[in-house]
Amino acid sequence: MVIVMSPGATAVDVAAIVDVVSTAGGEAFVSRGVNRTIIGLVGDVERFAALNLRAMPGVADVMRVSQPYKLVSRENHPERSVIRVGGVPIGPGTVTLIAGPCAVETPRQTLEAAEMAKAAGATLLRGGAFKPRTSPYAFQGLGEEGLRILADVREQTGLPVVTEVVDAHDVPLVASYADMLQVGTRNTQNFALLQAVGRAGKPVMLKRGMSGTIEEWLMSAEYIAQRGNLDIVLCERGIRTFETATRNTLDVSAVPVAQRLSHLPVIVDPSHSGGRRDLVLPLTRAAIAVGADGVIVDVHPHPEQALVDGPQALVDGDLRELAKVMRDFPPLVGRTLAASADDLLIG
Ligand code: PEP
Ligand code: MN
């Protein structure tokens, strides 16, 4: 932390700060310039933050220099991390495609969607059994029955499963079926849930809150990391802005910003960002171009019958194009499409 004194600050003002900081167990290093004095603090930043130094006489500004999140920060961990989900890598060097239905509806719909996902190059299957719905009257997901369907489809296709958990009490149940736990945008600051997934022993995909800053998102990741789980993938899924033409506004700059601040992989959800089928491929290209470590895409065999998010689901006819993007775009940024665990063993 750095304290900038105002030009009129006196020696007594400076001494008072040094005194308060050392009483709080820290050290204060005073550098006197021609016009201003600057005091650098070394010690527990959280304790300094509680001292209300800004209100002390002669203080012009107080600035934090180290980031408030530690475990997920790149400051202490300069190498970018690779997270493995059922053997599939997510991180630098590759682009991972995660695809599947927004919600698990029936065994057949889930299997068909998984086959579509695989045909497009996906190596992980998404699908929600617990759906966080804005309306309490909307389809809430099949619950454990949905988890069983996902586990069956994993058996049939070999695709490891990413699925959302919305309640801290359900974490052990969902973790017993899933290969990766998803925390959705509506729960990014549900701290009890974050702590529970942190203890679950499974990788976690953490969406960005729809109105959350990048710093808030990383603080949420820190909650998970603090419970001993550093297998976290960040997912930018669009934020709320004044624009109404799209469901959310994809914040492409969040990808390189988060990657510079944190060692965790960052992926993009072009389906929930745009909320429109015709935008999924352009936003997928944008995500790969900006350096995303993966994309997570909704697909559905019959979107007109989908119980959730049909308008944004890719259909059969789109898959050839998605497969082409996934093949052609990663090499343009020096990456390859992430292979499945089986392919890695064979290759
Ligand atoms: C989802 O991926 O199914 C979902 C509900 O996404 P989000 O939390 O980003 O709205
Ligand atoms: Mn959805």
Side-chain angles (χ1 to χ4, degrees), residues 102 126 131-132 164 182 184-186 207 237 269 272:
C102 180
R126 65 148 290 147
K131 296 304 301 175
E164 181 160 358
Q182 175 174 331
T185 192
R186 294 160 187 80
K207 293 236 180 160
R237 49 79 70 204
D269 182 339
H272 289 83

Side-chain angles (χ1 to χ4, degrees), residues 27 31-32 44 52 60 90 101-102 113 125 137 144 202 226 235 265 270 286 316 326 333 345:
E27 280 183 282
S31 43
R32 291 187 175 82
D44 182 349
N52 201 11
I90 307 178
C102 180
L125 172 66
Y137 302 109
E144 187 168 4
K202 287 281 163 84
Q226 236 198 10
C235 179
D316 245 334
M326 297 314 298
V333 289
L345 289 177

Side-chain angles (χ1 to χ4, degrees), residues 48-344:
F48 297 152
L51 294 176
N52 201 11
L53 295 165
R54 208 176 283 274
M56 289 187 68
V59 172
D61 202 2
V62 177
M63 291 173 293
R64 257 186 129 114
V65 281
S66 64
Q67 287 154 345
Y69 38 86
K70 307 272 174 236
L71 300 169
V72 305
S73 162
R74 230 176 142 173
E75 267 179 3
N76 309 317
H77 190 303
E79 288 278 287
R80 298 195 54 231
S81 294
V82 177
I83 308 302
R84 284 181 189 278
V85 182
V88 177
I90 307 178
T94 52
V95 176
T96 306
L97 176 61
I98 308 169
C102 180
V104 174
E105 297 165 11
T106 65
R108 187 175 165 159
Q109 166 256 6
T110 308
L111 180 60
E112 285 180 15
E115 279 164 352
M116 291 166 70
K118 218 172 162 175
T123 41
L124 296 172
L125 172 66
R126 65 148 290 147
F130 291 90
K131 296 304 301 175
R133 305 307 303 282
T134 302
S135 166
Y137 302 109
F139 176 59
Q140 305 284 311
L142 297 179
E144 187 168 4
E145 172 58 16
L147 297 174
R148 277 195 286 269
I149 293 173
L150 285 167
D152 284 349
V153 171
R154 172 177 52 207
E155 275 298 301
Q156 295 172 69
T157 59
L159 296 175
V161 165
V162 182
T163 195
E164 181 160 358
V165 56
V166 298
D167 186 316
H169 294 109
D170 293 331
V171 168
L173 173 76
V174 180
S176 72
Y177 288 93
D179 297 286
M180 177 179 233
L181 301 171
Q182 175 174 331
V183 174
T185 192
R186 294 160 187 80
N187 272 314
T188 309
Q189 289 192 310
N190 178 339
F191 302 116
L193 178 63
L194 297 175
Q195 289 170 340
V197 298
R199 287 188 294 262
K202 287 281 163 84
V204 177
M205 188 220 296
L206 177 65
K207 293 236 180 160
R208 177 179 178 184
M210 64 180 87
S211 302
T213 64
I214 293 171
E215 182 167 299
E216 286 165 341
W217 187 21
L218 296 176
M219 292 300 271
S220 294
E222 189 80 4
Y223 267 90
I224 300 170
Q226 236 198 10
R227 288 295 178 277
N229 187 354
L230 267 172
D231 289 340
I232 307 165
V233 172
L234 301 167
C235 179
E236 160 63 40
R237 49 79 70 204
I239 52 174
R240 235 178 217 195
T241 67
F242 53 83
E243 182 55 69
T244 54
T246 48
R247 183 176 178 180
N248 294 283
T249 299
L250 175 61
D251 181 6
V252 279
S253 49
V255 175
V257 170
Q259 286 173 340
R260 267 164 218 172
L261 293 172
S262 170
H263 57 88
L264 301 175
V266 183
I267 67 169
V268 164
D269 182 339
S271 306
H272 289 83
S273 302
R276 286 169 35 180
R277 179 172 306 125
D278 63 323
L279 297 180
V280 174
L281 286 167
L283 297 183
T284 298
R285 293 190 194 97
I288 298 170
V290 82
D293 301 303
V295 286
I296 176 164
V297 171
D298 285 6
V299 300
H300 198 291
H302 308 287
E304 67 290 349
Q305 293 164 19
L307 298 178
V308 189
D309 287 349
Q312 70 193 31
L314 293 184
V315 292
D316 245 334
D318 303 317
L319 296 187
R320 193 185 294 275
E321 189 64 17
L322 177 62
K324 194 164 146 30
V325 170
M326 297 314 298
R327 193 191 56 226
D328 295 346
F329 272 62
L332 299 177
V333 289
R335 294 176 176 226
T336 53
L337 179 60
S340 72
D342 291 349
D343 292 344
L344 291 175

